[in-house]
Amino acid sequence: MEYILIFISAIFVNNIVLSQFLGICPFLGVSKKVSTALGMSAAVAFVMTLATIVTYIIQKTVLDAFGLQYLQTIAFILVIAALVQMVEIVMKKVSPALYQALGIFLPLITTNCAVLGVAILVIQKDFSLVESIVYAFSTAIGFGVALTVFAGLREQLEFSNLPKGMQGVAITMITAGLLSLAFMGFSGVDGGLKIVFGLE
């Protein structure tokens, strides 16, 4: 039941983009088309889950073991950057079709603060490895849901007759704000589920 709570909470209640405001750059930059948003979502899901596993193991076996916790952020950034490069190289050799589909998005993930944010959050929340994997994957799905819905809204806005002052960045920001408000409607759902499942 705890995994279900982590899953629901990460997607809806504590959405990484709309509630915690991490990963705003790709959220605004790669959300002009639904197809692009889906490609970015898939790449983020893969890298975020893999990066969380690797950084968790490094934290527990190296940083905690040798008292080097103060190097966490630097170590995690280096690991994520190296991991993205390795994934890109392996994907290019093993599956050129998948590399073509995700190739453009993989370098962007290196600078996506949501990936680093999740890697640090699982340590701060003191999750186990399995809980960390569930949280990372759920957060990536939440990122994908927010990105895809936002991309769909932006595609629809292209056909809307908007006043000149509202076009472009202005309506994009207003739409992002309204979407964030919509996701705020899910706040408290995780608390209700804890009561229902008898976890509180």
Side-chain angles (χ1 to χ4, degrees):
M1 289 301 163
E2 282 183 32
Y3 300 133
I4 294 168
L5 282 171
I6 291 169
F7 187 78
I8 292 168
S9 178
I11 295 173
F12 300 109
V13 182
N14 298 315
N15 188 284
I16 195 83
V17 182
L18 301 173
S19 295
Q20 299 181 57
F21 307 110
L22 292 171
I24 296 290
C25 295
F27 180 69
L28 294 173
V30 195
S31 60
K32 290 183 180 176
K33 290 184 179 180
V34 172
S35 57
T36 316
L38 288 169
M40 184 65 172
S41 301
V44 166
F46 179 70
V47 172
M48 192 179 280
T49 308
L50 196 61
T52 302
I53 294 166
V54 174
T55 53
Y56 183 91
I57 291 166
I58 286 170
Q59 177 74 35
K60 298 298 178 188
T61 59
V62 179
L63 300 180
D64 287 350
F66 296 102
L68 300 170
Q69 291 91 341
Y70 60 91
L71 292 174
Q72 184 189 65
T73 306
I74 294 169
F76 283 14
I77 289 169
L78 291 171
V79 166
I80 290 164
L83 199 61
V84 169
Q85 289 300 313
M86 281 171 33
V87 166
E88 200 170 353
I89 291 164
V90 170
M91 203 176 279
K92 199 172 186 179
K93 295 275 185 190
V94 176
S95 179
L98 188 63
Y99 174 76
Q100 287 296 323
L102 300 179
I104 191 169
F105 305 114
L106 284 171
L108 291 173
I109 295 168
T110 310
T111 57
N112 187 348
C113 58
V115 178
L116 176 63
V118 169
I120 292 171
L121 280 170
V122 295
I123 304 301
Q124 288 177 349
K125 289 174 186 279
D126 201 28
F127 282 156
S128 67
L129 182 58
V130 178
E131 286 173 334
S132 300
I133 294 165
V134 171
Y135 180 76
F137 186 69
S138 306
T139 302
I141 290 172
F143 176 84
V145 167
L147 191 65
T148 308
V149 169
F150 189 54
L153 290 170
R154 286 184 75 177
E155 278 188 359
Q156 289 297 313
L157 286 169
E158 292 291 320
F159 302 105
S160 301
N161 188 17
L162 297 167
K164 195 171 184 182
M166 293 290 288
Q167 291 173 3
V169 176
I171 195 65
T172 302
M173 292 299 177
I174 290 167
T175 307
L178 290 171
L179 189 60
S180 183
L181 282 171
F183 268 72
M184 280 179 70
F186 293 111
S187 62
V189 170
D190 56 341
L193 287 172
K194 280 180 184 175
I195 293 166
V196 170
F197 294 126
L199 295 171
E200 198 172 81

